[in-house]
């Protein structure tokens, strides 16, 4: 490749926004369902499980694209702590994006609940039944969900900071709808 | 393009305010969805908290129907249910069953003769990988019409206000029928003599896709013999568990599963309203209990008999209880698995 990519590839941008919508929906569905006993509970749970698996699949594709295509470089004048923060944020986010669905799936498995995707389509258990594992995974799923939401708020704040205050082009690497794959020479 | 410094600063300040508003609004929407801004919302936590008995939180145990004993056996379907539901469990055949006899009390140490309501949790597994879980009780109808009323009943029962129950009964007259049942219905000396009723209405979907509103019950093969509660009390605090253990050891015990089909217009959203006796009742199979196991190491211990774990061919109806029960049972399960150390596994052959 003769130059440095200034934007994420169109496929990466599409996945980013698709996953953004899915994860935000997932987090709101999650905190909503565990705080109600109305019939909405069953509806929300029945969305939560297949959506989680969908996010897992999309996140793995996204990880593969990231490993294949990388990311545009951060601006040279970005202070070092902010660069470090950005890198750490991405590690944490990818870990949670892939980890949360697996934790949820494992948690249901440890409780011997059937993992229903839709109708009669079930996923196999990925852990044996275990009260201690269930308790551990339940705590992890619960608290990491709030960590994930906090990361998203941080991400939105940082993205808007780049867009509105620094105006350094970082926001546009992901926000642009253009499909033109620009390479800076 | 260079701008005067002051204007840049003001615009940066405005941007930061905008960012703060966006983040604040996102966090507020999340908090609202989680119920943190609505303390009046009936959450599973509040419902489960309301079950706490005077004897204290039953750590490691189910938060209701806390006292019980496990069984394993088989459900033998006679094929008659296949006309009502496409679920494999109604195809003629034998399917493994796992369950739990229990008492409707949040106190795992309650003496058996003091508990009016008895229950049976059941899980039937079919070769297609699906499960049917149900948790049934012996009254012929539920005490109240809605989950909120059940919460209000718990609150009123625990209240120190001497008029609390009177006020509750005024607002929920359906409780009177349950009170009459509790006063007059005979007690038996054995789980094997009890009839267990699903009470909630579900929807069966047949092979043609047609829907049927149903409720189900388990009818004991052993004819019930009435025993006065005072006489039951003399049999000891755990006589039900001892009796069923001995009885099953000397021979398997059977219940006939009967599915009752609603007529158009029968109330499906209110388990406190029994359907008339003349409704079509279909015997769909027989539950045979072959083995009893104590709960601490038994296979039912870590099963949540969530009534919304259903095979395809059975769906929830407009009855609001299965959803509420599912939500509350999950909360109870989450709590008790985290407290497992408080309810030790006992026998030497226990799983690690």
């Amino acid at each position: 490749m003769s130059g440095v990519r200034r934007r994420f590839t169109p496929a990466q941008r599409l996945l980013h926004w698709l996953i953004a919508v899915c994860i935000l929906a997932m987090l709101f569905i999650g905190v909503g369902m565990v705080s109600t006993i109305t019939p909405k509970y069953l509806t929300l749970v029945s969305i939560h499980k297949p959506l989680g698996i969908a996010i897992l699949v999309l996140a793995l594709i996204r990880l593969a694209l990231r490993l294949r295509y990388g990311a545009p470089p951060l601006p040279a004048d970005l202070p070092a702590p902010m660069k470090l923060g950005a890198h750490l944020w991405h590690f944490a986010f990818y870990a949670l994006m892939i980890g949360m669905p697996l934790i949820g799936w494992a948690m249901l498995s440890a409780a011997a609940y059937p993992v229903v995707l839709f109708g009669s389509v079930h996923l196999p258990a990925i852990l044996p039944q275990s009260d201690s594992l269930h308790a551990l995974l339940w705590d992890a799923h619960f608290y990491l969900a709030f960590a994930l939401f906090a990361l998203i708020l941080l991400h939105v704040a940082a993205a808007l900071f780049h867009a509105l205050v620094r105006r350094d082009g970082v926001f546009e690497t992901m926000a642009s709808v253009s499909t033109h794959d620009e390479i800076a020479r | 393009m260079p701008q005067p410094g002051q204007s840049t600063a003001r615009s940066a300040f405005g941007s930061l305010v905008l960012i703060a508003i966006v983040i604040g609004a996102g966090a507020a929407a999340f908090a609202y969805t989680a119920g943190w801004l609505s303390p009046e919302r009936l959450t599973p936590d509040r419902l489960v908290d309301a079950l706490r008995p005077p004897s204290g939180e039953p750590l490691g145990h189910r938060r209701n129907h806390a006292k019980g004993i496990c069984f394993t056996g088989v459900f033998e379907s006679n094929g008659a249910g296949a006309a009502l539901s496409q679920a494999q469990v109604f195809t003629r055949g034998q399917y493994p069953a796992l369950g739990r006899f229990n008492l409707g009390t949040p106190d795992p140490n309650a003496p058996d003769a003091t508990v009016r309501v008895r229950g049976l949790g059941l899980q039937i597994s079919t070769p297609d990988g699906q499960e049917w879980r149900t948790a049934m009780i012996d009254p012929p109808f539920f005490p109240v019409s809605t989950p909120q009323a059940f919460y209000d009943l718990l609150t009123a029962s625990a209240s120190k206000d001497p008029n609390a129950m009177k006020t509750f009964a005024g607002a929920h007259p359906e409780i009177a029928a349950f009170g009459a049942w509790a006063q007059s219905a005979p007690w038996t000396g054995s789980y094997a003599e009890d009839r267990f009723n699903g009470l909630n209405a579900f929807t069966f979907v047949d092979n043609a896709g047609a829907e049927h509103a149903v409720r189900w019950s388990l009818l004991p093969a052993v004819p019930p013999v009435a025993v006065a509660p005072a006489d039951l009390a003399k049999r000891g605090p755990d006589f039900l568990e001892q009796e069923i253990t001995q009885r099953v050891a000397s021979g398997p015990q059977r219940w006939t599963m009967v599915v009752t089909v609603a007529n158009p217009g029968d109330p499906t959203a209110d388990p406190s309203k029994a359907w008339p006796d003349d409704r079509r009742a279909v015997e769909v199979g027989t539950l045979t209990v072959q083995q009893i196991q104590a709960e601490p190491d038994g296979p039912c211990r870590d099963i949540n008999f969530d009534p919304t774990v259903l095979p395809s061919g059975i769906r929830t109806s407009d009855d609001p209880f299965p959803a509420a029960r599912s939500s509350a049972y999950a909360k109870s399960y989450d709590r008790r698995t985290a407290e497992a150390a408080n309810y030790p596994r006992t026998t030497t052959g226990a799983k690690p």
Side-chain angles (χ1 to χ4, degrees):
Chain A
M1 195 168 286
S2 60
V4 177
R5 214 177 281 280
R6 286 206 304 224
R7 294 176 183 169
F8 285 96
T9 64
Q12 284 178 299
R13 278 178 268 159
L14 176 69
L15 269 179
H16 167 273
W17 290 103
L18 189 57
I19 291 176
V21 170
C22 288
I23 292 186
L24 269 180
M26 195 66 177
L27 288 166
F28 277 85
I29 287 169
V31 293
M33 75 185 192
V34 298
S35 65
T36 184
I37 64 158
T38 66
K40 280 187 290 232
Y41 172 78
L42 295 180
T43 309
L44 294 173
V45 171
S46 72
I47 299 170
H48 195 82
K49 293 176 190 176
L51 186 55
I53 296 300
I55 290 171
L56 176 63
V57 171
L58 292 174
L60 289 172
I61 297 172
R62 188 169 167 197
L63 177 65
L65 291 180
R66 176 65 182 259
L67 294 174
R68 170 75 180 80
Y69 295 108
L74 291 167
D77 66 340
L78 194 67
M82 287 178 78
K83 276 187 181 162
L84 178 66
H87 290 310
L88 289 178
W89 186 94
H90 279 85
F91 277 113
F93 197 82
Y94 270 81
L96 287 180
M97 188 163 60
I98 294 166
M100 280 293 277
L102 289 173
I103 291 170
W105 184 359
M107 177 183 94
L108 295 177
S109 303
Y113 291 124
V115 187
V116 181
L117 282 192
F118 35 80
S120 55
V121 182
H122 290 211
L123 290 179
I126 53 174
L127 277 184
Q129 190 178 355
S130 160
D131 53 9
S132 53
L133 282 176
H134 175 265
L136 182 73
L137 293 165
W138 190 92
D139 277 348
H141 201 68
F142 182 81
Y143 291 108
L144 289 177
F146 292 99
L148 185 54
F149 188 67
L151 283 183
I152 290 174
L153 290 183
L154 195 62
H155 182 66
V156 172
L160 291 176
F161 186 73
H162 283 291
L164 303 176
V165 180
R166 280 186 55 91
R167 299 181 194 177
D168 55 9
V170 169
F171 184 75
E172 287 72 17
T173 62
M174 194 56 97
S176 167
V177 291
S178 160
T179 54
H180 182 57
D181 193 14
E182 290 174 46
I183 306 286
R185 294 184 190 275
Chain B
M1 195 189 304
Q3 288 178 340
Q6 202 180 357
S7 161
T8 310
R10 189 178 303 148
S11 132
F13 180 74
S15 298
L16 291 175
V17 169
L18 177 66
I19 293 170
I21 289 171
V22 169
I23 300 306
F30 198 64
Y32 171 77
T33 310
W36 300 338
L37 308 179
S38 354
E40 77 289 347
R41 187 185 300 177
L42 183 48
T43 63
D45 273 294
R46 285 180 65 206
L47 184 54
V48 170
D49 284 344
L51 284 160
R52 184 186 302 120
S55 53
E57 201 79 48
L59 298 175
H61 294 267
R62 285 169 167 81
R63 288 315 198 252
N64 198 5
H65 295 261
K67 186 176 186 180
I69 190 163
C70 302
F71 69 77
T72 50
V74 65
F75 178 72
E76 182 165 6
S77 178
N78 62 19
L84 292 168
S85 167
Q86 57 189 242
Q88 191 176 34
V89 69
F90 297 116
T91 312
R92 179 191 284 272
Q94 293 200 344
Y95 309 104
L98 159 66
R100 182 175 180 269
F101 296 109
N102 60 72
L103 294 176
T105 169
D107 177 3
N109 301 310
D112 292 353
T114 63
V115 184
R116 178 68 270 207
V117 172
R118 298 175 185 169
L120 183 150
L122 180 63
Q123 168 188 295
I124 305 173
S125 310
T126 43
D128 60 4
Q130 304 215 34
E131 286 178 14
W132 179 18
R133 297 187 191 177
T134 175
M136 312 158 85
I137 52 177
D138 62 344
F141 40 75
F142 201 68
V144 289
S145 296
T146 63
Q148 177 71 48
F150 184 68
Y151 174 79
D152 294 342
L153 172 63
L154 294 172
T155 314
S157 317
S159 171
K160 292 193 171 61
D161 173 4
N163 291 318
M165 276 309 290
K166 206 174 287 176
T167 309
F168 175 82
H172 301 281
E174 70 269 22
I175 191 77
F178 186 81
W181 172 85
Q183 286 295 321
S184 64
W187 296 61
T188 72
S190 174
Y191 283 124
E193 298 173 15
D194 290 334
R195 169 186 171 135
F196 298 99
N197 305 299
L199 301 186
N200 293 133
F202 288 82
T203 303
F204 276 10
V205 183
D206 67 24
N207 281 318
E211 300 187 346
H212 311 273
V214 301
R215 289 170 174 167
W216 52 75
S217 296
L218 284 172
L219 277 56
V222 181
V225 176
V227 185
D231 294 327
L232 293 179
K234 293 176 195 148
R235 300 185 185 183
D238 306 313
F239 74 91
L240 281 173
E241 296 187 359
Q242 290 155 1
E243 195 277 343
I244 197 68
T245 305
Q246 284 161 14
R247 195 189 274 254
V248 172
S250 60
Q253 300 298 310
R254 292 186 173 79
W255 286 257
T256 303
M257 182 174 282
V258 174
V259 171
T260 304
V261 185
N263 277 6
D266 284 344
T268 51
D270 183 352
S272 75
K273 306 276 181 296
W275 294 339
D277 288 334
D278 66 350
R279 294 301 182 254
R280 183 155 76 103
V282 182
E283 292 188 4
V284 298
T286 306
L287 171 68
T288 304
V289 171
Q290 297 166 323
Q291 211 179 6
I292 298 288
Q293 285 141 300
E295 188 183 55
D297 304 305
C300 72
R301 170 182 170 135
D302 289 332
I303 294 296
N304 171 356
F305 293 99
D306 177 337
T308 66
V309 173
L310 300 167
S312 43
I314 308 181
R315 288 208 296 257
T316 51
S317 68
D318 60 352
D319 187 328
F321 276 93
R325 293 169 66 191
S326 181
S327 178
Y329 287 22
K331 177 54 61 185
S332 163
Y333 190 86
D334 298 338
R335 289 192 187 179
R336 66 193 177 88
T337 53
E339 302 157 352
N342 296 89
Y343 182 26
R345 295 172 194 274
T346 53
T347 59
T348 47
K351 295 188 284 189

